Amino acid sequence: MDASYDVVVIGAGFGGPVAAKKCADAGLKTLMIERSENVGEKVISGLTIPIYGFLFGPDFIRDGSPPFERPADGIINYIIKDIDGGDIEIDDTLRVPRPFSPVIAFGYNTYCKPFCEWEAKKAIESGVELRTSTTVTDVIRSNGGVSGVCLEDGTRIGAKIVIDAEGSQGLVAVKAGIRKKYPPEAISLSDTYDYVMDKADVDRVFGYSLRFCWGWDEQKIAPPLGHGNGLMVWPYRESIHYIQDHCLRLDGGKVPNLKKRFREYHDNITTKLPWWADEVAPKSEVRARMWEGFEIYVGLDPDLRNMANHDDGIILIGDAAGLESTELCDGVPAAWFSADIAADVAIEAIRAGNTKKEFLKAYDERIKNHAVIQWSISGDNRYNLRYAQETKDIRLLRKFVHHAWGMGQLTHSLSPVLALAFRFIREDPGIITKWIRMYFRYYQNWLHNAYDYQGRSERRVDLENRPVIGEAVFKTLLGGLDFLLWILGPLIKILAVAGEKLSFLANPIMKLLIPIIRPIYKILRKPLAPVGNRLADRIVDFTDRADPALFEAKQPKQSTAPIHHSREA
């Protein structure tokens, strides 16, 4: 071996730095290898990271100031039955209502590159050695197990554990014989346009909501619903993303003419959809066009879903393990969760001196017992859109859209989210105030574009304009809540255990309540809007002017390990 480490992490995307940082924090000598010259170059587009990723993800992300482009408060779905005739239905029931929005977010829209760079920076600060412009071509095997990696230039690096975070397009795990290459039917190709748009115009047109478009094939406004695809628009700080995606192979083994289809759909949307033609087109300009492939239906294929995600000396995480969300097309939370679990198992294995497959199966067991991961990779509403297309049944189309991207999502997502929330509260009741501070800190960072990223300084406090009374009230309320959570900690933990065990009831209960809640929500939303807007404005004003220290979380002690950062051509 030319060098040797406790842990080698392949890939510095969303998951790799999380696993590397946790291993380094535990005192393990850790190397992270990235094939791009700069971290994040192979994931340069954007997405919405759902809120459960931040609530239940790595501590340093939840308690830090990661860079994102805009909070998201929900989704507006446009069901386009006749684009020329203007026959369009709207389902906007999956929205965080005011006054909770916009401080309490549904998720956060982010460009991948700066977020991955920020994660890598945190990993380096913990003592991780990062090598960029370096490609892993294969694993090294000895005594039947993985004992390191081989680089493109022939360098051989030893490792007690290899964590493969190379993504869905990586081939190391395939070459190592751990898993099969994903078939075209499980892969979607995304055609993404990045538009520059003035922040004031983005604020006015989009606010904090995503816009999704769905329609029959004949409308030619989104890739065929027969294969579960649509057109989605993400608003960022001073730009928007227009994304349409299409499975690489259709029923019967046909390969679609993607170039022709995508161009036609793009032209129809940008010239015929009223809000785009009237409000977006005159105010925006294309900055870039990107093509990206990603797995989407791996979790729905029994063979792929049950493929190995570990072997002697190696663990697969994130997209490399097929953990992409089947409906939200978002694998970031699962990448974070699986990276956290992989690091825990790697630390345990190295300390036990046992990196055999039998010991590492604990990783597989924890992945299968992770309620949110399993829910996110098994949702079939997007996949089932093909059945609405086959029959031209508008009721089916409404149903699948509503259950995936409308209020109906609560009928299948609420149980796993609550189960994980209760588990976190059971382990630490004080997590509740950490979550509250996170929301306010994140929103204040958004208002002032102040993140712990690329030397951006924290905003300076305007002592003469601070909401002193509001700060005192907030501090008293949070302090009182902290005290109650500490005093009642044992009782809260008992209740959290009960809540976790009973969380399975949440989904069926929501199925009964949604038909009642939905019409009430529609009736009350308009008359309550003025009150909700006024309260929301006051909360935003307070968050804007408050001392940032009010929202800070206690940071874990940093590792004293030396910082290494090298780069190989």
Side-chain angles (χ1 to χ4, degrees), residues 168-169 186-190 245 292-296 319 324 329:
S168 60
Q169 299 175 54
I187 298 290
S188 193
L189 179 65
S190 172
D245 59 278
E292 288 187 302
F294 56 93
E295 88 274 13
I296 178 66
D319 287 353
E324 177 84 9
C329 307

Side-chain angles (χ1 to χ4, degrees), residues 322-345:
L323 301 180
E324 177 84 9
S325 170
T326 52
E327 292 182 347
L328 298 178
C329 307
D330 181 1
V332 174
W336 289 345
F337 301 153
S338 60
D340 243 350
I341 296 170
D344 285 339
V345 173

Side-chain angles (χ1 to χ4, degrees), residues 371 410-412 414-420 422 497-511:
L410 297 177
T411 63
H412 55 96
L414 193 58
S415 282
V417 170
L418 283 178
L420 207 54
F422 282 125
V497 170
E500 185 178 357
K501 290 184 180 297
L502 295 174
S503 60
F504 74 95
L505 295 172
N507 285 349
I509 289 174
M510 284 306 299
K511 287 180 182 179

Side-chain angles (χ1 to χ4, degrees), residues 189-265:
L189 179 65
S190 172
D191 184 24
T192 303
Y193 289 79
D194 188 57
Y195 286 85
V196 177
M197 193 171 181
D198 187 81
K199 180 179 180 299
D201 292 320
V202 180
D203 291 345
R204 176 179 53 81
V205 176
F206 294 95
Y208 299 98
S209 298
L210 286 64
R211 298 193 181 191
F212 289 1
C213 299
W214 314 96
W216 306 126
D217 290 358
E218 293 76 13
Q219 294 298 311
K220 291 182 169 46
I221 49 86
L225 286 179
H227 297 85
N229 297 296
L231 183 143
M232 306 165 188
V233 183
W234 275 268
Y236 297 110
R237 180 173 290 275
E238 297 175 320
S239 58
I240 60 173
H241 254 34
Y242 166 116
I243 299 178
Q244 51 189 359
D245 59 278
H246 201 310
C247 287
L248 293 186
R249 192 158 69 197
L250 310 182
D251 294 336
K254 296 183 295 182
V255 178
N257 185 334
L258 296 170
K259 182 177 181 180
K260 179 180 178 181
R261 286 172 183 252
F262 280 147
R263 174 62 69 182
E264 187 174 15
Y265 298 146

